[in-house]
Coordinates of all heavy atoms in Angstrom, one line a residue:
F279 N -45.0 9.5 -99.1 CA -46.4 9.7 -99.3 C -47.3 8.7 -98.5 O -48.4 9.0 -98.2 CB -46.8 9.8 -100.7 CG -46.9 8.5 -101.5 CD1 -47.9 7.6 -101.3 CD2 -46.1 8.2 -102.6 CE1 -48.0 6.4 -102.0 CE2 -46.2 7.1 -103.4 CZ -47.1 6.2 -103.0
E280 N -46.7 7.6 -98.1 CA -47.5 6.7 -97.2 C -47.6 7.2 -95.8 O -48.4 6.8 -95.0 CB -46.8 5.3 -97.2 CG -47.1 4.5 -98.5 CD -46.6 3.1 -98.5 OE1 -45.8 2.8 -97.5 OE2 -46.9 2.3 -99.4
S281 N -46.8 8.2 -95.5 CA -46.8 8.8 -94.2 C -47.7 10.1 -94.2 O -47.9 10.8 -93.1 CB -45.5 9.1 -93.6 OG -44.9 10.2 -94.3
A282 N -48.1 10.6 -95.4 CA -48.7 11.9 -95.5 C -50.2 11.9 -95.3 O -50.9 10.8 -95.4 CB -48.4 12.4 -96.9
R283 N -50.7 13.0 -94.9 CA -52.2 13.2 -94.8 C -52.8 13.2 -96.2 O -53.9 12.7 -96.4 CB -52.5 14.5 -94.0 CG -54.0 14.7 -93.8 CD -54.2 16.2 -93.3 NE -54.0 17.2 -94.3 CZ -53.2 18.2 -94.1 NH1 -52.5 18.4 -93.0 NH2 -53.1 19.1 -95.1
T284 N -52.2 14.0 -97.0 CA -52.8 14.2 -98.4 C -51.7 13.9 -99.4 O -50.6 14.4 -99.3 CB -53.3 15.7 -98.5 OG1 -54.2 15.9 -97.6 CG2 -53.9 15.9 -99.9
V285 N -52.0 13.2 -100.5 CA -51.1 12.8 -101.6 C -51.6 13.4 -102.9 O -52.8 13.2 -103.2 CB -51.0 11.3 -101.7 CG1 -50.0 10.9 -102.8 CG2 -50.5 10.7 -100.3
I286 N -50.7 14.2 -103.5 CA -51.0 14.7 -104.8 C -50.1 14.2 -105.8 O -48.8 14.3 -105.6 CB -50.9 16.3 -104.8 CG1 -51.9 16.9 -103.7 CG2 -51.2 16.9 -106.1 CD1 -51.6 18.3 -103.4
F287 N -50.6 13.6 -106.9 CA -49.7 13.2 -108.1 C -49.8 14.3 -109.1 O -50.9 14.7 -109.5 CB -50.2 11.9 -108.6 CG -49.9 10.7 -107.8 CD1 -50.4 9.4 -108.2 CD2 -49.1 10.8 -106.7 CE1 -50.1 8.3 -107.4 CE2 -48.8 9.6 -105.9 CZ -49.3 8.4 -106.3
E288 N -48.7 14.8 -109.6 CA -48.7 15.7 -110.7 C -48.0 15.0 -111.9 O -46.9 14.7 -112.0 CB -47.8 17.0 -110.4 CG -47.8 18.0 -111.5 CD -47.1 19.3 -111.1 OE1 -47.5 19.8 -110.0 OE2 -46.3 19.8 -111.9
I289 N -48.9 14.8 -112.9 CA -48.5 14.1 -114.1 C -47.7 15.0 -115.0 O -48.2 16.0 -115.4 CB -49.7 13.5 -114.9 CG1 -50.4 12.5 -114.0 CG2 -49.3 12.9 -116.2 CD1 -51.8 12.0 -114.6
N290 N -46.5 14.6 -115.3 CA -45.6 15.4 -116.2 C -45.4 14.7 -117.5 O -44.9 13.5 -117.5 CB -44.2 15.6 -115.5 CG -43.3 16.6 -116.2 OD1 -43.2 16.6 -117.5 ND2 -42.7 17.4 -115.5
E291 N -45.9 15.3 -118.6 CA -45.9 14.6 -119.9 C -44.5 14.4 -120.4 O -44.3 13.6 -121.4 CB -46.7 15.5 -120.9 CG -46.1 16.8 -121.3 CD -46.4 17.9 -120.3 OE1 -46.7 17.6 -119.1 OE2 -46.2 19.1 -120.7
H292 N -43.5 15.0 -119.8 CA -42.1 14.8 -120.3 C -41.4 13.7 -119.6 O -40.3 13.3 -120.0 CB -41.3 16.1 -120.2 CG -41.9 17.3 -120.9 ND1 -42.2 17.4 -122.2 CD2 -42.3 18.5 -120.4 CE1 -42.8 18.5 -122.5 NE2 -42.8 19.2 -121.4
Y293 N -42.0 13.2 -118.6 CA -41.3 12.1 -117.8 C -41.2 10.8 -118.6 O -42.2 10.4 -119.2 CB -42.1 11.8 -116.5 CG -41.5 12.5 -115.3 CD1 -40.8 13.6 -115.3 CD2 -41.8 11.8 -114.0 CE1 -40.3 14.2 -114.1 CE2 -41.3 12.3 -112.8 CZ -40.5 13.5 -112.9 OH -40.0 14.0 -111.8
P294 N -40.0 10.2 -118.5 CA -40.0 8.8 -119.1 C -40.9 7.9 -118.3 O -41.0 8.1 -117.1 CB -38.5 8.4 -118.9 CG -37.9 9.3 -117.9 CD -38.7 10.6 -118.0
C295 N -41.5 6.9 -118.9 CA -42.6 6.1 -118.3 C -42.1 4.8 -117.7 O -42.9 3.9 -117.3 CB -43.6 5.8 -119.3 SG -44.5 7.3 -119.9
L296 N -40.8 4.6 -117.6 CA -40.3 3.3 -117.1 C -40.8 3.1 -115.7 O -40.9 4.0 -114.9 CB -38.8 3.2 -117.1 CG -37.9 4.0 -116.2 CD1 -36.4 3.5 -116.3 CD2 -37.9 5.5 -116.4
Q297 N -41.1 1.8 -115.3 CA -41.7 1.5 -114.0 C -40.9 0.6 -113.2 O -41.3 0.2 -112.1 CB -43.1 0.8 -114.3 CG -44.1 1.8 -114.9 CD -45.5 1.2 -115.0 OE1 -45.8 0.1 -114.5 NE2 -46.4 1.9 -115.8
G298 N -39.6 0.3 -113.6 CA -38.7 -0.4 -112.8 C -38.8 -1.9 -112.8 O -39.5 -2.5 -113.7
V299 N -38.2 -2.5 -111.9 CA -38.2 -4.0 -111.7 C -39.2 -4.4 -110.6 O -39.1 -3.9 -109.5 CB -36.8 -4.5 -111.3 CG1 -36.8 -6.0 -111.1 CG2 -35.8 -4.2 -112.4
D300 N -40.2 -5.2 -111.0 CA -41.2 -5.6 -110.0 C -41.9 -4.4 -109.4 O -42.2 -4.4 -108.2 CB -40.6 -6.5 -108.9 CG -40.1 -7.8 -109.5 OD1 -40.7 -8.3 -110.5 OD2 -39.1 -8.4 -108.9
G301 N -42.1 -3.4 -110.2 CA -42.8 -2.2 -109.7 C -42.0 -1.3 -108.8 O -42.6 -0.5 -108.1
S302 N -40.7 -1.4 -108.9 CA -39.8 -0.6 -108.0 C -39.9 0.9 -108.3 O -39.5 1.7 -107.4 CB -38.4 -1.1 -108.2 OG -37.9 -0.7 -109.5
H303 N -40.5 1.2 -109.4 CA -40.4 2.7 -109.8 C -41.8 3.1 -110.3 O -42.0 3.9 -111.2 CB -39.4 2.8 -111.0 CG -39.0 4.2 -111.3 ND1 -38.4 5.0 -110.4 CD2 -39.0 4.9 -112.4 CE1 -38.0 6.2 -110.9 NE2 -38.5 6.1 -112.2
R304 N -42.9 2.6 -109.7 CA -44.2 3.0 -110.1 C -45.1 3.2 -108.9 O -44.9 2.7 -107.8 CB -44.8 1.9 -111.0 CG -45.3 0.6 -110.3 CD -45.9 -0.4 -111.3 NE -46.4 -1.5 -110.6 CZ -46.8 -2.6 -111.2 NH1 -46.7 -2.7 -112.6 NH2 -47.3 -3.6 -110.6
V305 N -46.2 3.9 -109.2 CA -47.2 4.1 -108.2 C -48.6 4.0 -109.0 O -48.6 4.0 -110.2 CB -47.2 5.6 -107.6 CG1 -45.9 5.7 -106.8 CG2 -47.2 6.6 -108.7
H306 N -49.7 3.9 -108.3 CA -51.0 3.7 -108.9 C -51.8 5.0 -108.6 O -51.7 5.5 -107.5 CB -51.7 2.5 -108.4 CG -52.8 2.1 -109.3 ND1 -54.1 2.6 -109.1 CD2 -52.9 1.3 -110.4 CE1 -54.9 2.1 -110.0 NE2 -54.3 1.3 -110.9
L307 N -52.6 5.4 -109.6 CA -53.4 6.6 -109.4 C -54.3 6.5 -108.2 O -54.6 7.5 -107.6 CB -54.3 6.8 -110.7 CG -53.6 7.3 -111.9 CD1 -54.6 7.3 -113.1 CD2 -52.9 8.6 -111.7
S308 N -54.7 5.3 -107.8 CA -55.6 5.1 -106.7 C -54.9 5.4 -105.3 O -55.6 5.6 -104.3 CB -56.1 3.7 -106.6 OG -55.0 2.7 -106.4
E309 N -53.6 5.6 -105.4 CA -52.8 5.9 -104.2 C -52.8 7.4 -103.9 O -52.3 7.8 -102.9 CB -51.4 5.4 -104.3 CG -51.3 3.9 -104.3 CD -49.9 3.3 -104.4 OE1 -49.3 3.4 -105.5 OE2 -49.4 2.9 -103.4
A310 N -53.4 8.2 -104.8 CA -53.4 9.7 -104.6 C -54.8 10.1 -104.2 O -55.8 9.6 -104.6 CB -52.9 10.3 -105.9
D311 N -54.8 11.2 -103.4 CA -56.0 11.9 -103.1 C -56.5 12.8 -104.2 O -57.7 12.9 -104.6 CB -55.9 12.7 -101.8 CG -55.6 11.9 -100.6 OD1 -56.5 11.1 -100.2 OD2 -54.5 11.9 -100.2
F312 N -55.4 13.4 -104.9 CA -55.7 14.3 -106.0 C -54.7 14.1 -107.1 O -53.5 13.8 -106.8 CB -55.6 15.8 -105.6 CG -56.6 16.1 -104.5 CD1 -56.0 16.3 -103.2 CD2 -57.9 16.3 -104.7 CE1 -56.9 16.7 -102.1 CE2 -58.8 16.6 -103.6 CZ -58.3 16.8 -102.3
V313 N -55.1 14.2 -108.4 CA -54.2 14.1 -109.5 C -54.3 15.3 -110.4 O -55.4 15.8 -110.7 CB -54.5 12.8 -110.4 CG1 -53.5 12.7 -111.6 CG2 -54.4 11.5 -109.5
V314 N -53.1 15.9 -110.7 CA -53.1 17.1 -111.5 C -52.5 16.8 -112.8 O -51.4 16.1 -112.9 CB -52.3 18.2 -110.7 CG1 -52.0 19.4 -111.5 CG2 -53.1 18.6 -109.4
E315 N -53.0 17.5 -113.9 CA -52.4 17.3 -115.2 C -52.2 18.8 -115.7 O -52.9 19.7 -115.3 CB -53.3 16.5 -116.2 CG -53.4 15.1 -115.8 CD -54.2 14.3 -116.8 OE1 -55.5 14.5 -116.8 OE2 -53.6 13.6 -117.7
G316 N -51.4 18.9 -116.7 CA -51.2 20.2 -117.4 C -49.9 20.3 -118.2 O -49.3 19.3 -118.4
V317 N -49.6 21.4 -118.7 CA -48.5 21.6 -119.6 C -47.2 22.0 -118.7 O -47.3 23.0 -118.0 CB -48.7 22.6 -120.7 CG1 -47.5 22.9 -121.6 CG2 -49.9 22.2 -121.5
H318 N -46.2 21.3 -118.9 CA -44.9 21.6 -118.2 C -43.8 22.1 -119.1 O -43.8 21.9 -120.3 CB -44.4 20.3 -117.5 CG -45.3 19.7 -116.4 ND1 -46.5 19.1 -116.7 CD2 -45.2 19.8 -115.1 CE1 -47.1 18.8 -115.5 NE2 -46.3 19.2 -114.5
E319 N -42.9 22.8 -118.4 CA -41.7 23.1 -119.1 C -40.9 21.9 -119.4 O -41.0 20.8 -118.8 CB -40.9 24.1 -118.2 CG -41.5 25.4 -117.9 CD -40.7 26.2 -116.8 OE1 -39.6 25.7 -116.5 OE2 -41.2 27.2 -116.4
P320 N -39.9 22.0 -120.4 CA -39.1 20.8 -120.6 C -38.3 20.4 -119.4 O -38.0 21.3 -118.5 CB -38.1 21.3 -121.7 CG -38.9 22.4 -122.4 CD -39.7 23.1 -121.4

Side-chain angles (χ1 to χ4, degrees):
F279 76 67
E280 285 184 349
S281 75
R283 182 192 71 232
T284 302
V285 178
I286 301 169
F287 288 172
E288 180 170 315
I289 297 174
N290 189 317
E291 69 277 17
H292 303 305
Y293 256 29
C295 295
L296 72 170
Q297 295 185 9
V299 175
D300 296 328
S302 68
H303 196 59
R304 75 180 183 189
V305 294
H306 194 271
L307 290 176
S308 65
E309 296 180 279
D311 297 289
F312 303 105
V313 180
V314 170
E315 294 181 285
V317 178
H318 292 76
E319 298 174 4

